[in-house]
Amino acid sequence: MASSIPGPVALPESRYDLNTYWGRVRHCAEIADPTMLLTTEADLKQARDIISAYRHGKLKEPTPEFWYAKKQLDSTVHPDTGDTVLLPFRMSSNVLSNLLVTTGMLTPGMGTMGTVFWQWANQSLNVAVNSANSNKSHPMSTQQLVTNYTAAVTASCGVAVGLNKLVPRLKNLSANTKMVLGRLVPFAAVVSAGVINVFLMRGNEIRKGITVYDSNGDEVGKSKKAAFLAVGETALSRVINATPIMVIPPLIMVRLQKGPLKGKRFAVQSLVQLVVITATAFAALPFALGVFPQYQAINVKKLEPELSEKKDRDGKVIQQVYFNRGM
């Protein structure tokens, strides 16, 4: 993110009002813009120079070039470290990176091995995205990463396989209802494992606290309460993000397979499903991401007592602090 560029002048968070949901949706649409995947290291260097010029007062007002440079950095660079996030794990690659595994998970009649494979693939991708975009106040050890990864994969596979075996045994349900419930099994598995994944992958943040900053971008201290809020919101965002992509396409496909796609070849049905998933993902992602702001403020009175009397560089008592929620 552009916030990783140092300087005495504070950056505007966005060209949109992030205090409103619609403003966050428009902001998230920019961060998730897949054209940002074409950003090169030379582009990032130029973007850093433009942002640095603003932060040191050489650029007095935000210009179109400034906003574009900020967009490039916000969609490509980690806000805590300033490092370039590996391409498949950037938010601008979210839809494309998830497209294959989502299509695989939503394919009906895969059997136990197919279910396990696609849940494993999805959680592997989730772990990589969580690790690449999490708050970096407390880096995770390799042992912790492996342990948490194993737990997340076990949870997702267990839920998916268990529900796939349970749904056909449900009595007093019509065949159509069982079919719909069966199509929603991947959603239940993804949501439950996604929540577990977030809390496991970011458990260090809750135990040790995350760094909070004042309005000048200076570190104020570490807060466990801010960490719990950040991780909790991220876990809830996993549910919100997964809901449209894992629920809408299966329900649409059930309807299509009873109508226009009835009797069509598997390849044709798979292609239509891919198109439906892609369209839903691109349309829904900014609305899901915009529910919670990534970089947000909180009153120090809601945090640990030792933070309540901290002063900024001008000697004023700090009323609000800011933290990176992570993705």
Side-chain angles (χ1 to χ4, degrees), residues 89-321:
F89 311 135
R90 301 173 192 170
M91 291 314 299
S92 52
S93 182
N94 185 280
V95 172
L96 300 178
S97 296
N98 280 281
L99 195 56
L100 178 62
V101 293
T102 303
T103 303
M105 286 189 295
L106 294 181
T107 301
M110 290 183 297
T112 300
M113 291 305 296
T115 298
V116 169
F117 173 80
W118 286 113
Q119 288 296 330
W120 165 80
N122 182 62
Q123 288 307 315
S124 297
L125 179 59
N126 284 347
V127 167
V129 171
N130 287 345
S131 179
N133 293 282
S134 65
N135 186 292
K136 298 299 182 181
S137 297
H138 300 290
M140 184 173 292
S141 68
T142 302
Q143 182 179 356
Q144 289 172 315
L145 186 63
V146 171
T147 301
N148 295 346
Y149 167 69
T150 303
V153 171
T154 302
S156 64
C157 292
V159 170
V161 173
L163 289 178
N164 274 334
K165 292 183 180 298
L166 175 64
V167 170
R169 298 177 182 176
L170 294 176
K171 299 179 179 180
N172 301 321
L173 293 179
S174 66
N176 184 66
T177 301
K178 289 183 180 180
M179 179 177 66
V180 171
L181 289 177
R183 295 292 182 89
L184 295 180
V185 164
F187 168 69
V190 166
V191 165
S192 57
V195 172
I196 293 171
N197 192 325
V198 171
F199 277 97
L200 287 175
M201 292 293 294
R202 298 178 61 180
N204 270 352
E205 297 175 30
I206 296 175
R207 289 188 291 271
K208 299 179 181 179
I210 58 173
T211 305
V212 293
Y213 304 88
D214 64 16
S215 58
N216 298 312
D218 298 327
E219 181 176 337
V220 177
K222 286 185 167 55
S223 170
K224 294 180 182 180
K225 292 184 179 180
F228 186 81
L229 177 63
V231 176
E233 286 185 354
T234 301
L236 182 55
S237 75
R238 288 291 184 273
V239 179
I240 297 169
N241 293 351
T243 299
I245 299 170
M246 301 297 293
V247 172
I248 296 175
L251 297 181
I252 291 176
M253 289 303 297
V254 167
R255 180 60 62 89
L256 291 177
Q257 286 166 344
K258 290 182 178 180
L261 293 180
K262 188 175 183 179
K264 298 292 184 181
R265 291 179 300 168
F266 178 77
V268 174
Q269 295 192 29
S270 297
L271 178 61
V272 172
Q273 177 171 264
L274 182 64
V275 171
V276 171
I277 292 172
T278 303
T280 304
F282 274 115
L285 182 63
F287 291 92
L289 292 177
V291 173
F292 301 113
Q294 181 179 354
Y295 197 73
Q296 56 188 279
I298 187 170
N299 193 298
V300 292
K301 293 181 180 179
K302 297 181 180 180
L303 304 179
E304 288 77 359
E306 59 267 24
L307 298 176
S308 61
E309 298 300 323
K310 292 289 185 79
K311 297 180 179 180
D312 62 19
R313 65 177 69 163
D314 299 319
K316 296 179 181 178
V317 176
I318 298 170
Q319 302 294 328
Q320 270 193 332
V321 291

Side-chain angles (χ1 to χ4, degrees), residues 62-105:
T63 62
E65 291 76 17
F66 166 86
W67 288 121
Y68 189 74
K70 189 174 185 302
K71 176 180 177 179
Q72 288 178 311
L73 293 175
D74 285 350
S75 64
T76 308
V77 173
H78 194 282
D80 293 336
T81 65
D83 296 333
T84 302
V85 177
L86 192 63
L87 189 146
F89 311 135
R90 301 173 192 170
M91 291 314 299
S92 52
S93 182
N94 185 280
V95 172
L96 300 178
S97 296
N98 280 281
L99 195 56
L100 178 62
V101 293
T102 303
T103 303
M105 286 189 295

